[in-house]
Every structure is written in structure tokens, then in C-alpha cells.
Amino acid sequence: SENKTKSERERMRTESFVKCLLKRKRIVHLRDDIYLTVFNTLKNEKWKDHIVTKGRKDKKVEYYNIPCAFDIETSSFYQDGEKKATMYIWQLGVCGYCFTGRSWDDYLTTIRAIKDVFELDPDKRRLVIYIHNMSYEFQFIRLWHTWRNVFAIDIRKPAYGLTEDGIEFRCSYILTGKSLEMVGEDLNEIKCEKLHTLDYSLPRHSETDLTPE
């Protein structure tokens, strides 16, 4: 049946995700020559084998059907009685590769390299990147992107955002309704390590020395 065929396709895609993640599982700390590091890390993969087409006949869009996620760690402080926060590290996972950086300039350079590798276009070809609890990260990244479209379910609760770079951010927390820990427990093929609990009372910034944990 058509449903069974669709189910079989989804199963095959899931298996390809698992193989993709297990094969790479590589952390790339970005320091010098960031654009070339990201570009050269990703360029030799056969990403176009993972393209799926969605949309109406008159407006079809290609999507890379690969797992991608973004997360930041922040530190809050008070300045002149006003509470503020700063990002001190970000992580961007692309199908098993995990890129990490300490500044927004590094982040933007990474996004530019990804756009070029995947030949992204908001009207023709997109890459979906999931953010768990996007309402928080969005307050940090919203000024670093030019947005084509943003959909929010409430004030400061974006569920979806498409950038002019062809990157489509989606909130996995809104989509699943589950905490990150619960999502990890639901995984069958890949078991997640127990989440580390950070001491958020300690002030950190982009120059703070960090342990591997």
C-alpha cells in the first residue's frame, strides 16, 4: 500500500541517518581558517543523495534529509542593575560532524561555508537545523540572520524560521513536546550519554578556558 511504502521509505531514511552519524561522530573545534575547515570537512560527502522534494507542483523545494542541530551555552550577569546574557560557546551538528566555536563571527563564517557546500537557496534548496527550545536561542541569533519568514506560536516562541541563506531553523521542543532528556530516552538505534549538569552560577565568556566536558 501507499502508506506501507511511505513507512518503508521513512525506515530506510532513519537507517541512513544512523549509519551517517556512527560513521562520522567527529567534533571539529574551529580556530583558524574557519571557512576552509568547515568547507573541506563537508565538501566530499555525497549530500545530494539525501535530497527530498516537498511542496506544491508550482512551488517545489528541495530539502537535505539529514540530521542537523544547533545549541548554545550562555552565561548571565547584571550590568547597571539590568540582567544580561552572553554566549560563550556554540555547537552546530551536521549529520555526525559537530562544529564548535566561541564567537558569533565564527558562527557566521560557518554558516557561510555550509551555504556554499550545500548550495542553499531559500526558494529552491534548504537545510533544516533543529534547535531544542528555539525561543531561547532565537533571541541570540535573530540579529545575525536576515529572515525570509518566521512563524511563532506566541510572543517570543518561534516554531520556525527561514533565513535568506536557505537555512530553515525549527524548534524540536515545540514539535515533540518533550524535554531533551526525554527525546534521548526515546532513541532506539543510538543511545545518548547522560546529560551533564552545568553550574550556571559560574560566569563564563568566549575567552574562558573550558574542559572537554
Side-chain angles (χ1 to χ4, degrees):
S1 66
E2 183 178 347
N3 290 335
K4 186 176 181 180
T5 302
K6 182 178 181 181
S7 176
E8 181 68 13
R9 288 201 302 267
E10 291 297 329
R11 184 187 65 79
M12 292 176 65
R13 288 172 186 165
T14 301
E15 289 181 353
S16 70
F17 286 170
V18 173
K19 293 176 182 178
C20 170
L21 291 167
L22 293 178
K23 181 178 72 172
R24 299 179 182 92
K25 204 174 181 181
R26 175 185 170 193
I27 297 177
V28 182
H29 300 287
L30 301 175
R31 295 183 177 86
D32 301 322
D33 297 323
I34 291 171
Y35 178 90
L36 289 178
T37 299
V38 177
F39 190 92
N40 290 333
T41 299
L42 298 173
K43 70 176 183 178
N44 293 323
E45 300 288 348
K46 296 180 179 180
W47 299 117
K48 291 185 179 180
D49 292 346
H50 299 280
I51 287 179
V52 295
T53 303
K54 297 185 178 182
R56 303 186 304 270
K57 291 183 179 180
D58 60 335
K59 196 175 182 181
K60 289 187 178 294
V61 177
E62 293 181 341
Y63 284 88
Y64 284 98
N65 192 32
I66 59 176
C68 301
F70 177 71
D71 183 40
I72 66 173
E73 296 297 339
T74 65
S75 186
S76 59
F77 59 94
Y78 283 90
Q79 186 177 47
D80 299 326
E82 182 181 0
K83 189 174 183 179
K84 298 184 177 181
T86 182
M87 178 277 298
Y88 62 87
I89 188 170
W90 56 263
Q91 306 91 34
L92 177 58
V94 180
C95 200
Y97 294 109
C98 181
F99 300 100
T100 69
R102 304 295 300 274
S103 73
W104 289 116
D105 284 341
D106 295 349
Y107 167 75
L108 292 176
T109 302
T110 301
I111 292 295
R112 182 163 56 89
I114 287 174
K115 178 179 185 294
D116 291 347
V117 168
F118 290 98
E119 300 176 344
L120 301 179
D121 182 305
D123 296 314
K124 299 177 181 178
R125 183 177 293 170
R126 302 175 188 175
L127 179 70
V128 175
I129 298 178
Y130 290 95
I131 302 177
H132 210 70
N133 192 21
M134 183 175 165
S135 60
Y136 186 76
E137 268 81 359
F138 188 74
Q139 305 311 314
F140 290 85
I141 67 173
R142 62 188 178 89
L143 297 179
W144 296 109
H145 289 281
T146 302
W147 300 90
R148 172 70 64 88
N149 184 32
V150 175
F151 173 76
I153 61 173
D154 205 341
I155 297 175
R156 294 179 178 270
K157 287 188 177 181
Y160 156 98
L162 174 62
T163 75
E164 290 290 351
D165 294 315
I167 291 176
E168 190 174 302
F169 290 101
R170 297 182 187 178
C171 181
S172 53
Y173 178 66
I174 290 176
L175 291 170
T176 63
K178 296 183 178 182
S179 68
L180 196 59
E181 187 172 5
M182 291 177 65
V183 171
E185 291 173 353
D186 287 344
L187 296 177
N188 294 318
E189 297 290 342
I190 299 177
K191 293 300 180 182
C192 296
E193 296 179 5
K194 186 175 181 180
L195 295 176
H196 294 285
T197 302
L198 292 174
D199 184 353
Y200 288 99
S201 65
L202 296 176
R204 300 178 179 90
H205 52 78
S206 61
E207 300 296 325
T208 302
D209 291 332
L210 301 176
T211 64
E213 291 77 19

